[in-house]
């Protein structure tokens, strides 16, 4: 099989534009989006494969968009820390890297510009599961007839193998599991045959703190020390997790005071580490099988269910993205009296009557990350204390996307839809005020599950940060 057939037969790759890569191209262009890493990156590997066959170099291009909704100094600092390292690692692999600040809101114009400047024989892109079909068509047009290869770089089982929206983990799980032998394998990092040694395109910036300082960005949410960005930090965290936490993951992952989870979500969100790297390390670890299974369930089944939701359901940020049974039940309780209704500002400032909720909000605002168990409680209480399910969903999405380093991610939209609108869940009785048949959580229940005093002491009983004054 020649390399073109291989690419066509690879279920991770969708090809736009029927032409084969042009013989007179000067490079292969990889337009890097979510998979911001130099290793274990299926999109980069496809670009190298095409380039090697055509005896061309690879140029990786990154479009920095400081106007991306909810992008702020916290997110951009983390991302640029990662990209700085990625650029260095790509250089060691003899691959070019160029980053330019977005020139206006549409990515398509910027893609057309770089395509006309560097004349690639083919363009490779990693899939963004949040992207609309219109935006995708715009990018395809911007390639001006050159082939565009869109690669599932951050999914273990390619989306094309799943093929439709799934409504619960129990339906997607078997489809994923029966394909893991084929797709949960090392990506491989092949050598580049022709080094990139052309001058960078005009206006390219090196990713660095200095580049960030020069940008006009939202600085109201600042960087956090708890999560330094970068692939080497992600790999070090993965190693520590496998050694110290994985062996107690099954029993302690829902206990926020125990720190038993990986804390990898910001790194996975920015693609600084790929799911294959984390999943293979856990699968092959010496930890008990129950722990490895529990972790792989979250990392593969739950994460890929969330991605499936955003690919196939365009209302993933809205309550309307949830199932009919849930919308009917919430609607039947829309007029129920609420004991409390807080404004978005009160939520944001952690000014509710509930210390546990306030502690969770403070963990998110101060550290850029919230423990998974608390995320469930946090979003359910926003439903309980908002004027409507729609308002609750909007507030939760805005706060999550603004403060969480891993925000603006399919996992966030699916998690909020699960908590507020029963997405991927089932109806739970008895029927309750406000919640209807949506699963309920209480502070007392949380208190029985874990040592909430330790969590409160850590996040609440310390001096109020500037954000709360
Ligand atoms: C209301 C709500 C909001 C959420 N917002 C986000 C968000 O913005 N970004 C985000 O990445 N996750 C979000 N989650 C999912 C989950 O809580 C986090 O992924 C997890 O807590 C991150 O911590 P960790 O990396 O230590 O997870 P670990 O337990 O170590 O799990 C490893 C990885 O598996 C994936 N994973 C774990 N739990 C889930 C889950 N329930 N659904 C889908 N994938 C999962 C994540 O990629 C995670 O990094 C949200 C969940 C809820 C209920």
């Amino acid at each position: 099989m020649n390399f073109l057939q291989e690419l066509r037969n690879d279920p991770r790759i969708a090809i736009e534009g029927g032409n084969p890569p042009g013989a007179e191209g000067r490079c292969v262009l990889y337009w890097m989006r979510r998979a911001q890493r130099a290793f274990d990156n299926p999109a980069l590997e496809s670009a190298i494969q095409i380039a090697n066959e055509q005896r061309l170099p690879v140029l990786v291009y990154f479009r920095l968009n400081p106007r991306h909704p909810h992008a702020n100094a916290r997110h951009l600092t983390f991302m640029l820390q990662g990209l700085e390292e990625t650029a260095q690692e790509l250089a060691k692999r003899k691959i070019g890297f160029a980053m330019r600040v977005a020139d206006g809101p549409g990515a398509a114009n910027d893609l057309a510009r770089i395509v006309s400047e560097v004349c690639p024989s083919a363009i490779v892109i990693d899939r963004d599961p949040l992207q609309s079909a219109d935006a995708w068509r715009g990018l395809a047009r911007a390639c001006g007839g050159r082939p565009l290869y869109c690669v599932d770089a951050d999914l273990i089982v390619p989306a094309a193998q799943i093929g439709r929206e799934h409504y619960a983990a129990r339906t997607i799980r078997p489809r994923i599991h029966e394909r893991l032998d084929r797709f949960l394998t090392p990506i491989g990092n092949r050598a580049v045959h022709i080094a990139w040694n052309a001058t960078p395109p005009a206006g390219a910036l090196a990713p660095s703190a200095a580049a960030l300082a020069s940008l006009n960005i939202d600085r109201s949410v600042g960087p956090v020390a708890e999560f330094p960005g970068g692939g080497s930090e992600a790999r070090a965290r993965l190693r520590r997790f496998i050694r110290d936490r994985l062996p107690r993951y099954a029993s302690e992952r829902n206990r926020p005071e125990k720190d038993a989870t990986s804390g990898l979500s910001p790194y996975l969100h920015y693609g600084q580490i790929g799911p294959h790297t984390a999943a293979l390390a856990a699968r092959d670890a010496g930890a008990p099988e129950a722990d490895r299974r529990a972790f792989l369930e979250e990392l593969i089944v739950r994460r890929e269910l969330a991605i499936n939701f955003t690919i196939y359901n365009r209302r993933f940020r809205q309550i309307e993205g949830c199932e009919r049974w849930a919308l009917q039940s919430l609607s039947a309780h829309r007029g129920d009296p609420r004991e409390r209704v807080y404004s978005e500002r009160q939520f944001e400032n952690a000014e509710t009557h509930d210390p546990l909720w306030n502690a969770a909000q403070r963990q998110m605002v101060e550290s850029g990350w919230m423990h998974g168990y608390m995320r469930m409680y946090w979003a359910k209480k926003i439903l309980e204390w908002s004027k409507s399910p729609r308002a609750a969903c909007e507030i939760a999405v805005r706060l999550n996307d603004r403060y969480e380093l891993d925000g603006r991610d399919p996992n966030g939209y699916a998690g909020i839809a699960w908590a507020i609108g029963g997405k991927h869940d089932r109806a739970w009785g008895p029927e309750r005020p406000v919640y209807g048949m949506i699963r309920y959580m209480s502070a007392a229940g949380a208190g029985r599950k874990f040592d909430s005093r330790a969590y409160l002491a850590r996040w609440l009983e310390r001096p109020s940060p500037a954000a709360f004054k």
Side-chain angles (χ1 to χ4, degrees):
M1 195 173 359
N2 72 22
F3 84 101
L4 288 175
Q5 280 164 331
E6 245 179 70
L7 292 170
R8 261 198 299 275
N9 290 344
D10 189 333
R12 280 184 301 217
I13 304 181
I15 306 179
E16 199 70 35
N19 303 331
E24 51 307 325
R26 295 209 295 260
C27 67
V28 171
L29 178 69
Y30 167 30
W31 174 272
M32 179 181 272
R33 301 197 290 183
R34 264 168 68 91
Q36 297 170 18
R37 61 186 178 276
F39 297 106
D40 296 351
N41 179 343
L44 178 62
E45 291 311 306
S46 300
I48 298 173
Q49 185 185 3
I50 302 170
N52 284 351
E53 290 288 342
Q54 296 198 296
R55 304 211 49 79
L56 291 172
V58 177
L59 173 66
V60 175
Y61 185 84
F62 189 82
R63 173 179 183 265
L64 177 68
N65 183 8
R67 297 272 161 270
H68 194 289
H70 297 293
N72 53 46
R74 172 171 299 176
H75 303 126
L76 291 166
T77 302
F78 184 87
M79 188 174 83
L80 283 177
Q81 286 166 344
L83 285 172
E84 188 170 359
E85 198 181 320
T86 297
Q88 289 159 5
E89 289 170 343
L90 287 171
K92 284 189 201 138
R93 293 188 72 186
K94 301 185 171 47
I95 297 168
F97 177 84
M99 179 184 88
R100 250 188 333 224
V101 176
D103 186 15
N109 288 344
D110 290 346
L111 178 56
R113 179 176 164 204
I114 187 73
V115 164
S116 75
E117 287 168 338
V118 302
C119 286
S121 67
I123 296 108
V124 177
I125 197 165
D126 51 74
R127 184 201 275 269
D128 176 357
L130 304 180
Q131 183 177 50
S132 69
D134 275 357
W136 169 246
R137 278 191 290 272
L139 291 181
R141 276 197 301 275
C143 295
R146 292 171 171 84
L148 172 61
Y149 296 85
C150 180
V151 183
D152 277 333
D154 279 312
L155 275 166
I156 289 174
V157 177
Q161 295 273 308
I162 304 293
R164 64 170 175 85
E165 184 176 2
H166 276 262
Y167 296 97
R170 72 175 183 286
T171 68
I172 203 172
R173 188 180 295 111
R175 292 191 76 84
I176 289 179
H177 276 278
E178 66 204 21
R179 288 165 175 80
L180 284 184
D181 279 350
R182 179 169 171 205
F183 293 108
L184 182 51
T185 54
I187 301 299
N189 296 292
R190 61 186 96 203
V192 161
H193 294 172
I194 305 291
W196 169 267
N197 50 24
T199 46
L205 285 177
S208 64
L212 190 61
S214 68
L215 296 177
N216 177 17
I217 58 168
D218 172 4
R219 296 185 193 275
S220 61
V221 181
V224 289
E226 284 87 344
F227 292 91
S232 51
E233 173 69 23
R235 293 189 290 273
R237 279 176 186 247
L238 175 63
R239 280 194 297 275
R240 287 199 299 274
F241 169 71
I242 299 282
R243 190 190 60 210
D244 304 333
R245 301 178 178 191
L246 184 60
R248 52 194 174 89
Y249 185 82
S251 57
E252 295 187 355
R253 72 176 188 279
N254 280 331
R255 302 192 57 171
E257 83 287 19
K258 296 281 189 189
D259 280 336
T261 71
S262 69
L264 282 176
S265 53
Y267 303 90
L268 286 162
H269 171 72
Y270 285 97
Q272 295 175 0
I273 195 167
H276 291 82
T277 314
L280 287 167
R283 188 195 69 183
D284 300 339
E289 209 219 316
D291 295 297
R292 288 184 285 132
R293 203 175 335 111
F295 181 68
L296 293 176
E297 166 73 11
E298 302 298 340
L299 177 67
I300 306 180
V301 176
R302 298 285 164 173
R303 183 171 176 276
E304 301 201 358
L305 178 63
I307 293 174
N308 172 272
F309 172 45
T310 59
I311 290 176
Y312 292 104
N313 189 327
R314 291 312 301 164
R315 292 178 299 179
F316 58 80
R317 288 190 185 86
Q318 297 144 16
I319 191 72
E320 287 78 10
C322 298
E323 266 47 85
R324 191 192 304 225
W325 69 263
L327 298 179
Q328 282 172 347
S329 182
L330 287 168
S331 173
H333 290 270
R334 208 173 35 209
D336 290 354
R338 269 83 173 145
E339 270 181 36
R340 298 179 172 82
V341 175
Y342 293 115
S343 67
E344 185 164 347
R345 191 61 194 253
Q346 288 171 305
F347 282 124
E348 187 163 21
N349 288 338
E351 288 169 357
T352 77
H353 65 287
D354 175 1
L356 189 58
W357 194 94
N358 295 344
Q361 173 70 13
R362 284 183 62 160
Q363 180 178 23
M364 178 175 79
V365 171
E366 288 180 43
S367 76
W369 187 86
M370 192 194 296
H371 189 279
Y373 181 81
M374 293 311 301
R375 294 190 199 219
M376 302 191 241
Y377 180 76
W378 175 86
K380 287 195 174 288
K381 294 297 154 183
I382 297 180
L383 167 64
E384 194 173 324
W385 305 327
S386 292
K387 64 178 195 282
S388 68
R390 173 175 290 125
C393 198
E394 289 171 0
I395 291 170
V397 165
R398 273 195 296 269
L399 294 180
N400 197 78
D401 283 355
R402 181 168 157 75
Y403 290 106
E404 299 281 24
L405 269 175
D406 59 24
R408 303 176 294 163
D409 188 277
N411 285 352
Y413 302 122
I416 290 167
W418 173 87
I420 295 179
K423 186 80 199 170
H424 302 149
D425 204 358
R426 62 173 173 84
W428 287 78
E431 200 159 349
R432 289 175 181 275
V434 182
Y435 286 80
M437 302 300 282
I438 303 294
R439 187 198 296 241
Y440 174 74
M441 278 173 85
S442 70
R448 282 192 296 274
K449 268 215 162 221
F450 73 99
D451 182 1
S452 55
R453 281 165 316 172
Y455 184 74
L456 291 174
R458 185 159 163 199
W459 293 109
L460 214 50
E461 292 163 19
R462 60 187 205 174
S464 188
F468 297 101
K469 283 181 183 152

